Amino acid sequence: MPTFKNPVIKGFAPDPSVCAVGDDYYLATSTFAYFPGVPIYHSKDLVNWKQIGNILDREEQLPLSGAAHSGGIFAPCLRYHDGTFYMITTNVTEGGNFVVTAKDPAGPWSNPYYIDHAPGIDPSLFFDDDGKCYYIGTRPNPEGVKYNGDWEVWLQELDLTTMQLSGVSTKLWKGALHTAIWPEAPHIYKIDGYYYLLIAEGGTGYNHACTVARSERVDGPYIGNKNNPILTHRHLGKDFPVHNVGHGDFVQTPDGQWYMTMLASRLFDGYSNLGRETFLAEVVFEDGWPVVNPGVGRLLEEQTHKLPLVPVEELTHFTFESLRPEFMFLRNPVMTHYAFNVGDGRLRLYPTTETIKDLASPTYISVKQQAMDYHLTTRLNLALTSGSEAGLAILQNERYSIRLVVVVEDSQTTIQMLSLIDGEETILNSVPIHGDDVTLEIQGEGQRVKGLCRINEETIVVAEDVDSHYLSTEVLVVLSGVR
């Protein structure tokens, strides 16, 4: 029997939502302030995923002006019904909750249908046997929020003709724990005559968990599983290598097997620089309730898999003949600042006054970091004016980053390695150079990084043993107070 390793999508792949169409599987994740939004992946085995596009690839679908790094798109839900793909999500910066649709999951997808009178975040859709579609959402306690995270899950019918809510909204559940906080990511499934409501609760950090309830009616009452939570790592201690486990979504194979995708974070020397990633677990139903990874009850780094594996190409080198689906920009890019395929797979960038320290859209193109041991290299042919810089960056948000850049000031060109920690910038080293053909390289080894420059066949170490643990969620939460 084949085996697979977790995570199945590495690096910045939070809030995974999955659906099956025959023996094809599709998955979407959150993107927050990055553009294009909501990458969509395809797989034949739930393990090997290839990005086939981005659902929100036009500014009219995804306005992000002024969005904080933790703003923008939260928690997509991907579903397929009667020949149409649906993706519902929240733009917390502008517009709120909306649906887009497509016949082909690779796109194009429709413009947003914004849903009126739909508070909260993390909406999902459920299509019942009678053809009705239901919106499942979250909202603050209508009787008044009594504590931080005092929310509830609610349901209302969605008219697919008008893409608006109809009828009355019904409270479904507040979570498994008494005074549970942040009941989120609600999904409904109909299995063997029962409606199952899977949610996340406990917040998105260490106490994150997946819990489940069921009912004989779609609108309840829902009764919680006595074995809740069905998945969490909060009982394993803060040194366990995988934590923050939650935000799950069930999927069934054509032969009746069940699996669950979910997010979790890997620790590297105590910090999770790669953010929340997509993991996979097996699910079986015992006595009418789901059991995750039976006999183990937690996520595994490696486990057997009942589906035949269908590998896909793993990209480690990018050229710029065209705009690839893996490329990400900050907020809505001005595409006249980017010229693809200017020869030999090169990209021409036009600098602006906006920088990665601004809540704007600088001339910046990125791919997600997927490992802690890596070489990130680019060759630059420079035509910079005084006061300009160009180079490489490892970016957490506008207040936390490491940069290796060429800087031109007063006709002097230097290579600089800089750190930005809680908004305070430090030049770690500066090396003068001559010439306009430069290769920059950042080498990562665990939490330490090194910056190098190659020019005229000479290799220069700009800075080494640079601490990168500041680019982790844990530091961001402590210093910035982000939930």
Side-chain angles (χ1 to χ4, degrees), residues 205-233:
Y206 177 74
N207 293 309
H208 214 194
C210 295
T211 59
V212 69
R214 75 179 188 187
S215 172
E216 295 180 351
R217 295 170 48 91
V218 69
D219 57 354
Y222 281 84
I223 307 300
N225 182 0
K226 293 181 179 179
N227 295 326
N228 276 323
I230 61 170
L231 181 64
T232 187
H233 280 200

Side-chain angles (χ1 to χ4, degrees), residues 236-249:
L236 298 176
K238 292 190 175 181
D239 291 332
F240 196 76
V242 176
H243 62 169
N244 300 350
V245 177
H247 206 111
D249 197 5

Side-chain angles (χ1 to χ4, degrees), residues 135-148:
Y135 176 107
I136 309 100
T138 65
R139 63 190 177 195
N141 185 346
E143 298 176 358
V145 173
K146 298 176 176 60
Y147 55 86
N148 189 36

Side-chain angles (χ1 to χ4, degrees), residues 95-98 113-121 123 135-140 154-158 162-170:
N97 294 307
F98 66 91
Y113 300 94
Y114 289 100
I115 301 172
D116 297 332
H117 311 297
I121 60 172
Y135 176 107
I136 309 100
T138 65
R139 63 190 177 195
W154 60 282
L155 171 141
Q156 193 167 349
E157 189 174 346
L158 181 71
T162 63
M163 288 296 185
Q164 295 299 317
L165 299 173
S166 64
V168 298
S169 68
T170 304

Side-chain angles (χ1 to χ4, degrees), residues 140 144-151 174 179-183 202-203 481-483:
V145 173
K146 298 176 176 60
Y147 55 86
N148 189 36
D150 181 16
W151 282 42
K174 284 182 64 70
T179 64
I181 66 168
W182 305 117
V482 176
R483 179 175 73 83

Side-chain angles (χ1 to χ4, degrees), residues 422-444:
D422 200 19
E424 183 175 341
E425 185 167 275
T426 301
I427 299 176
L428 303 174
N429 195 21
S430 180
V431 178
I433 64 167
H434 300 280
D436 57 7
D437 195 328
V438 179
T439 296
L440 300 180
E441 180 174 329
I442 296 178
Q443 297 179 1

